[in-house]
Amino acid sequence: MPITFRKSFRILPGVRLNINKRSWSITTGGGKHGPRQTSSSTGRRTTSMDLPGPFGWRETTTKRRGH
């Protein structure tokens, strides 16, 4: 089983810095039932939201590299 590394820091109220082995990201929002916005150093942007019960919603976009 591989060993993974992930650490999350609260840097301001409602703002988190997430660090893992390959990248870092900033997450904002997500207060009481609100949407969260996450922007990663790899160009990935995710919007997510908790829904009632065991449900959730997530939409991810990835920035394409120009050739």
Side-chain angles (χ1 to χ4, degrees):
M1 183 180 282
I3 296 175
T4 61
F5 170 77
R6 181 182 178 278
K7 185 65 179 169
S8 183
F9 302 95
R10 185 176 139 198
I11 56 177
L12 293 170
V15 180
R16 296 190 77 78
L17 172 64
N18 307 297
I19 301 171
N20 67 35
K21 187 170 131 180
R22 296 183 181 166
S23 67
W24 58 271
S25 64
I26 299 285
T27 301
T28 59
K32 292 269 187 182
H33 311 292
R36 287 182 297 280
Q37 300 283 329
T38 303
S39 297
S40 172
S41 62
T42 60
R44 177 182 287 187
R45 304 195 91 180
T46 302
T47 302
S48 58
M49 187 172 183
D50 292 333
L51 298 175
F55 303 103
W57 172 81
R58 177 171 59 196
E59 181 177 330
T60 301
T61 58
T62 304
K63 188 186 291 186
R64 293 187 166 214
R65 294 182 183 177
H67 289 99

